[in-house]
Every structure is written in structure tokens, then in C-alpha cells.
């Protein structure tokens, strides 16, 4: 009640029950990750389930540090320059990313499924000086790198120092050279320096670089490692948890949540460059993981797929899930198959919040695990009316706003987009519709932003619309997401044709197909309409389009 008097308009802020405030952390990311590493230096850190290649924590640190030194030593790179990683999940991805960050550089991640156009766009926006990639993607990287001004070269993520092809550098050779060369000084990073630049479409428009500093990433890690929220056991003596995760490192959940909390508890991480049912089940059998990093689609696979047998799930103690809605029924089904109650917990986050803001704690009762949980330490959340912006109480649906030291600095070179989501008081307007219940557990029920989520991957309608507009005979177009049992959502296009134009659904679908990454394809099909419904300001009325599909 006394709070109501001080802040009449902010009476309904939900604070964390696990610590109201957390200062922005001052550690740099790499310092923070190495803090306890001496305890488990000789234990396995990362193993690729596909190739069998494995590194201990000590080996990983040497390669990372060597690569950092090589980048800092006379390669013409300056603090804050951007290095792009274009690769699937392989152990060397981690060392290259951490090495570049240790060298004071900023890392951006490009989805390796991207087309040359999609890749080129991201590399150009952030003016990448260097790309690290795998042999299979070299032709793509070579083709697009030429168009980047001030491009300094390509690093091949190899497991053995490889013969250097024309112009490419071997990751292993660079790391060895960095360790052997004396007199290299690594630039000192500050908590405010931008460590990574992942891309997100935010609430509207094309994908944008999200500036996340060392301090923001580390703050979120500290929150996730709180005893009530953490998942794994701390490695000590013979105890070492093993986590199997196919969540891509190029996505914030794979990078700052799964990978970095793995390191902070000294777990053994099993990676897979690509999800296949056989590969995944093989990894379960071979590595007997204690934990899984998952999105709902993976839990669904484990719960429903006939090839997944209860014995495959015997070693599993916990599952961390996020990035798309997870139904409590699915948790029950998963537990049914496992034959016991596994610690399956869901979180809510965004690239823009480094990423986690809400998470179910260990004490969340099973019946509440369909919720996205409660604010992490030092994180605040509010729900506001969609039209008036007034704070709402328990059970009332509105836009979710979040605040805490993990919030991004802003969108890269895009102040306008930053101002649209970050208000003067430091609240981030998520574009998600939510409510909290009487016990302050949050539930995500809808989205006001355009974003479409296909198996947890972001799809920007604006981006698909700009591709479809290139087809002659099309006057107007709008893309929205429709619910899909397998993928969560899939994009569908509403198209207005010029009078007399002959364009079929198949024409549109097959035009889009080669121009975008596979998960962005128009799996929901195309609907031809007379006009796209818009408001007076010209904004597409997406909700109206969505209801047209469900009818
Ligand atoms: P981005 N339930 C429903 N929707 C969700 C959820 C969830 N649990 N989590 C994320 N979303 C949607 O940037 C929501 O619309 O980051 C949100 O605005 O790819 C959007 O996805 C953000 O998508 C973790 C670690 C969750 C990471 C994450 C999600 C990171 C997704 C939990 O522990």
C-alpha cells in the first residue's frame, strides 16, 4: 500500500521474489566464464555427437585464448570491429566466438541456412571484417564477402591445422600462432562494450542487430545461476552433468543460456550440427545426458515419436525449454514416456533481453509449469492495457513490459527502432500479450508484434513481404503466422493481384522458396484477396487477417 502512494501509476509492477535488485555486472564475459574453470579443467567440455571430436575445458581455453591473441596481433582489427560466425553447432564455433570476444571484438551470428542474399544483408549491416565458417559454406561466404568493404578475410573452422586455401586462414593454425607469438596485448574490455550482435526483427520490420554488452550477458547469467533457477549440478569430484542441446549457438538461447550456463556449472555439452531423429536418439543413448536444452518441438518429438523409447530418457533429470509456447499437457506426456517426473521448466525471453526475463523456479509446482514462470532476480515485469497503457492486475491480459540489467543497449544503428521498444523509464515493450495469475506466475497468450515463430526461429513478415513484392502482377501483400501443430506457426501470404494478372499460389510459393532460409518458406500457402485490411495510418491489420484464416 505505501508503494501505491509513492508510485501511483506503477502500483502493479511484479518484482522478483528471488531478489528485487541486481546491479549491472562489471565482469567481462570471458572473465566470468573462466572464473571457476580451474576446478574442472581436465574434464570434458564439449563433444560433437556427429564427429566424435571432443575438447576438455583446458583445451578449449587454450584454443580460445590463442585465437584471441592471433586476432589481436596485427590483423588490422580494432576493438569493436565485427566478426561474423556462419556455422552450425560445432565445438570450434564456441572457441572462435569466445576468442573474438576476448580480443575485444563484437561477434554477430548468421544462420548457416541463410541464402547468399540473407547472409550478405547481415554482413553488410554490421560491416563484418572477418567471417569464420565451415568448409561446406566457403563458397557462399566467398561469394558474399567480396561485397563487404574493409573485409579482411575468412577463417576456416577446422579440427586440424588445414592447408590454407586461397585467402582462407586455418582456425587451428591461428590459435597455435597466437599462443606462440610473444608481445601480444589483448585490449581490455569494459562491461559496456558490445560483445555480441545477434539479429532480431523486434516488434516490426526487418531483422536488426541487437547490441548486447558484456555486462548485460553476464547479468543474465548470474540470474540464471540463482540456486532456485539453475538446472544442473555444480561439477565437483565425480559429479559432472552432461547436457545434450541442438539449440543453435547462433541464437541467443543456445549461446547465452545453454552454452554459458553449461560452462558456469562445468557440465559436458553434447552438440549436434543438425537435428535428425536418428542422430538425436543416438546421442541420447551414447552420452546418457542428464539434461536437455530444448524448444517445444523437441519435447514434442521426445514425447510423441514412436522411435523414442522410455529407456532413451532414463538419464534425464532436467529439461530447459523456451522460445515458443509449451503446454503443460506436453510436459505430462513427456513425463509419461520417461516414467517419472523430470524437472521440465519453461522460460520466457527475447534476444533483446539477453535473453531470459521470466523462468519457472525449482519450486514451481508441476501444474504451473505451463506458465513461463516468474521474474528472475533483479527483473521486473508489468502488464499494461493494450489501448490505454494502464497497469493491469492479476488475470488481466495486456502487453508485457520487462525491465532489468539484462536489457539490450539498443538496436545497432537504428535509434528509431530502439525508441519504439525501450521507453524513457527503461521498460522494454515486448510486443507479447500476457497475464499474471494470483501467484504472480506469467502466461504468454498472444503477440501484438508482427513476428512469426517457426519452431522457435524468428520469421519477419516484412522480409517475406519484400520478397513477394518482387513478383510482377502483385499489387499488395501481407504475411502473417498461422498456428501449425508441428512447427508452432507457419507463414501465410495474403496477396492482391493487378486486374488480369495471372499468378498462382504455386508461383508465389516457388518464387519465395529459393530466396529464403527453409524455415521461412510459405508453408501456410497463399490467399488471394481483393484488398489488404489496413488502418488509417496504413498499418496492416494483422489480427483481422489471422481470423480470416481460422474461419
Ligand atoms: P527470440 N512462450 C511463448 N512465447 C515465447 C516464449 C515462451 N516460453 N519464449 C519466447 N517466446 C516468443 O528473440 C515471444 O514472442 O528469443 C518472444 O517475444 O528468438 C519471442 O519469442 C522472442 O524470440 C530461455 C532462454 C526462452 C531463451 C528464451 C527465448 C529466446 C527467444 C527461455 O531460458
Amino acid at each position: 500500500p505505501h508503494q501505491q502512494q509513492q508510485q501511483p501509476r506503477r502500483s502493479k509492477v511484479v518484482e522478483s521474489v528471488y531478489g528485487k535488485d541486481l546491479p549491472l555486472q562489471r565482469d567481462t564475459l570471458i572473465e566470468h566464464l573462466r572464473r571457476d574453470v580451474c576446478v574442472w579443467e581436465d574434464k570434458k567440455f564439449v563433444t560433437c555427437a556427429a564427429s566424435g571430436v571432443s575438447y576438455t575445458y583446458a583445451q578449449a581455453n587454450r584454443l580460445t585464448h590463442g585465437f584471441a591473441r592471433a586476432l589481436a596481433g596485427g590483423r588490422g582489427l580494432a576493438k569493436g570491429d565485427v566478426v561474423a560466425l556462419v556455422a552450425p553447432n560445432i565445438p570450434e564455433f564456441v572457441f572462435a566466438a569466445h576468442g573474438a570476444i576476448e580480443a575485444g571484438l563484437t561477434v554477430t551470428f548468421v544462420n548457416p541456412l541463410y541464402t547468399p542474399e540473407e547472409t550478405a544483408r547481415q554482413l553488410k549491416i554490421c560491416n563484418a571484417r572477418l567471417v569464420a565458417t565451415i568448409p561446406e559454406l566457403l563458397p557462399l561466404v566467398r561469394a558474399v564477402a567480396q561485397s563487404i568493404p574493409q573485409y579482411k578475410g575468412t577463417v576456416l573452422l577446422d579440427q586440424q591445422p588445414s592447408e590454407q586455401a586461397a585467402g582462407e586462414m586455418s582456425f587451428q593454425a591461428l590459435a597455435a600462432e597466437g599462443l606462440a607469438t610473444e608481445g601480444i596485448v589483448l585490449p581490455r574490455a569494459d562491461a559496456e562494450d558490445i560483445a555480441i550482435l545477434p539479429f532480431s526483427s523486434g516488434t516490426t520490420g526487418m531483422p536488426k542487430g541487437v547490441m548486447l554488452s558484456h555486462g548485460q550477458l553476464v547479468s543474465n547469467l548470474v540470474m540464471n545461476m540463482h540456486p532456485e533457477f539453475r538446472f544442473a549440478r555444480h561439477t565437483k569430484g565425480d559429479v559432472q552433468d552432461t547436457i545434450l542441446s541442438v539449440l543453435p549457438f547462433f541464437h541467443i538461447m543456445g549461446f547465452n543460456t545453454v552454452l554459458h550456463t553449461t560452462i558456469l556449472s562445468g557440465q559436458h555439452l553434447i552438440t549436434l550440427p543438425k537435428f535428425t531423429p536418428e542422430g538425436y536418439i543416438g546421442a541420447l543413448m551414447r552420452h546418457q545426458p542428464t539434461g536437455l536444452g530444448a524448444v517445444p518441438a523437441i519435447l514434442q518429438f521426445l514425447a510423441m515419436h514412436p522411435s523414442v523409447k522410455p529407456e532413451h530418457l532414463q538419464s534425464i533429470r532436467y529439461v530447459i525449454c523456451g522460445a515458443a509456447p509449451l503446454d503443460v499437457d506436453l510436459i505430462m506426456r513427456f513425463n509419461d514416456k520417461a516414467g517419472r517426473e523430470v524437472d521440465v521448466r519453461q522460460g520466457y525471453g527475447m534476444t533483446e533481453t539477453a535473453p531470459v526475463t521470466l523462468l519457472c523456479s525449482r519450486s514451481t509446482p508441476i501444474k504451473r509449469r505451463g506458465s513461463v514462470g516468474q521474474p528472475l532476480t533483479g527483473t521486473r515485469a508489468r502488464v499494461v492495457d493494450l489501448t490505454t497503457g494502464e497497469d493491469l492486475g492479476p488475470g488481466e491480459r495486456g502487453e508485457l513490459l520487462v525491465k532489468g540489467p539484462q536489457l539490450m543497449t539498443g538496436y545497432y544503428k537504428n535509434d528509431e527502432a530502439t525508441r519504439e521498444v525501450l521507453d524513457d523509464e527503461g521498460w522494454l515493450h515486448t510486443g507479447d500479450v500476457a497475464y499474471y495469475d494470483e501467484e504472480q506466475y506469467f502466461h504468454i497468450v498472444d503477440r501484438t508484434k508482427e513476428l512469426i515463430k517457426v519452431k522457435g526461429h524468428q520469421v519477419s513478415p516484412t522480409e517475406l513481404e519484400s520478397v513477394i513484392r518482387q513478383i510482377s502482377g502483385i499489387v499488395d501483400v501481407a504475411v502473417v503466422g498461422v498456428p501449425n501443430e508441428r512447427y508452432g506457426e507457419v507463414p501465410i501470404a495474403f496477396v492482391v493481384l493487378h486486374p488480369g494478372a495471372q499468378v498462382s499460389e504455386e508461383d508465389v510459393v516457388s518464387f519465395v522458396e529459393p530466396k529464403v532460409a527453409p524455415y521461412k518458406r510459405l508453408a501456410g500457402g497463399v490467399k488471394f484477396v481483393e484488398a489488404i485490411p489496413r488502418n488509417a495510418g496504413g498499418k496492416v491489420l494483422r489480427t483481422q487477417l489471422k481470423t480470416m484464416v481460422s474461419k
Side-chain angles (χ1 to χ4, degrees), residues 251 253 323 325 346-347 349-351 356 372 432 447 449 453 458:
H251 183 256
M253 182 174 179
Q346 182 179 198
M350 288 170 73
T351 308
V356 195
V372 294
D432 287 307
R447 240 179 251 138
K449 58 184 166 192
K453 278 243 143 167
Q458 286 205 5

Side-chain angles (χ1 to χ4, degrees), residues 199-202 220 224 231 247 251-254 257-258 296 320-326 345-359 371-372 430-432 444-447 449 451 453 456-458:
F199 270 58
S200 163
S201 63
N220 201 235
N224 276 293
F231 286 81
L247 303 189
H251 183 256
I252 190 73
M253 182 174 179
T257 305
V258 172
I320 169 166
C321 191
L326 170 65
R345 279 190 270 142
Q346 182 179 198
Y348 163 85
M350 288 170 73
T351 308
E352 288 82 346
T353 59
V356 195
T357 48
L358 307 170
L359 186 62
S371 93
V372 294
T430 65
D432 287 307
I444 308 293
V445 290
D446 199 1
R447 240 179 251 138
K449 58 184 166 192
L451 175 67
K453 278 243 143 167
H457 287 288
Q458 286 205 5

Side-chain angles (χ1 to χ4, degrees), residues 38-363:
C38 54
V39 181
W40 44 71
E41 248 186 345
D42 297 319
K43 294 220 186 277
K44 283 187 175 170
F45 161 40
V46 59
T47 300
C48 173
S51 68
V53 171
S54 189
Y55 298 86
T56 64
Y57 275 89
Q59 289 168 329
N61 277 345
R62 270 196 300 279
L63 285 168
T64 302
H65 188 60
F67 187 59
R69 291 173 61 89
L71 293 184
R75 291 233 133 56
L77 297 165
K79 197 175 157 190
D81 278 354
V82 174
V83 172
L85 268 145
V86 187
N89 281 16
I90 52 170
E92 297 77 18
F93 183 116
V94 178
F95 318 144
H98 287 163
I101 293 170
E102 192 183 356
L105 304 164
T106 300
V107 174
T108 193
F109 309 106
V110 182
N111 188 328
L113 297 175
Y114 271 11
T115 62
E117 292 73 28
E118 292 170 315
T119 307
R121 176 178 181 269
Q122 186 171 335
L123 296 184
K124 273 186 197 151
I125 289 177
C126 43
N127 195 12
R129 305 296 164 107
L130 203 74
V131 173
T133 191
I134 55 168
E136 292 83 342
L137 292 170
L138 257 185
L140 175 138
V141 170
R142 279 195 190 126
V144 305
Q146 287 166 348
S147 61
I148 316 295
Q150 295 174 287
Y151 189 70
K152 306 236 186 271
T154 307
V155 175
L156 208 52
L157 297 170
D158 46 12
Q159 281 145 13
Q160 299 294 325
S162 47
E163 282 294 309
Q164 294 168 26
E168 275 90 36
M169 298 170 272
S170 149
F171 167 77
Q172 298 282 350
L174 280 173
E177 177 201 306
L179 287 174
T181 312
E182 283 171 35
I184 295 172
V185 184
L186 294 179
R188 207 10 278 135
D190 293 316
E192 289 76 23
D193 288 344
I194 304 306
I196 62 169
L197 199 59
F199 270 58
S200 163
S201 63
T203 47
T204 173
M206 298 287 281
K208 300 168 264 292
V210 176
M211 293 189 283
L212 291 173
S213 71
H214 288 262
Q216 290 151 2
L217 293 171
V218 173
S219 296
N220 201 235
L221 287 172
V222 171
M223 296 174 188
N224 276 293
M225 294 303 285
H226 185 283
E228 270 296 319
F229 287 112
R230 59 177 294 159
F231 286 81
R233 294 171 296 179
H234 219 64
T235 294
K236 206 173 165 192
D238 290 337
V239 173
Q240 187 188 28
D241 279 340
T242 298
I243 172 167
L244 169 65
S245 174
V246 286
L247 303 189
F249 296 140
F250 64 75
H251 183 256
I252 190 73
M253 182 174 179
F255 193 70
N256 203 40
T257 305
V258 172
L259 172 63
H260 293 166
T261 61
T262 291
I263 295 175
L264 290 176
S265 45
Q267 294 184 87
H268 178 198
L269 175 64
I270 311 299
T271 60
L272 265 175
K274 186 178 159 202
F275 177 87
T276 60
E278 311 73 51
Y280 196 87
I281 294 170
L284 284 174
M285 294 199 298
R286 186 175 167 122
H287 296 283
Q288 300 280 307
T290 30
L292 300 176
V295 290
I298 295 193
L299 266 184
Q300 182 158 348
F301 159 76
L302 292 169
M304 315 301 260
H305 201 285
S307 323
V308 180
K309 307 286 183 223
E311 55 268 30
H312 297 146
L313 306 176
Q314 241 157 40
S315 55
I316 298 175
R317 298 159 154 257
Y318 78 81
V319 180
I320 169 166
C321 191
L326 170 65
D327 206 79
V328 72
D329 281 352
L330 183 54
I331 302 180
M332 302 289 199
R333 280 169 195 242
F334 174 81
N335 283 338
D336 280 350
K337 189 173 266 186
R340 78 214 128 83
E341 204 173 287
V342 176
D343 184 18
V344 182
R345 279 190 270 142
Q346 182 179 198
Y348 163 85
M350 288 170 73
T351 308
E352 288 82 346
T353 59
V356 195
T357 48
L358 307 170
L359 186 62
C360 285
S361 66
R362 284 171 191 268
S363 9

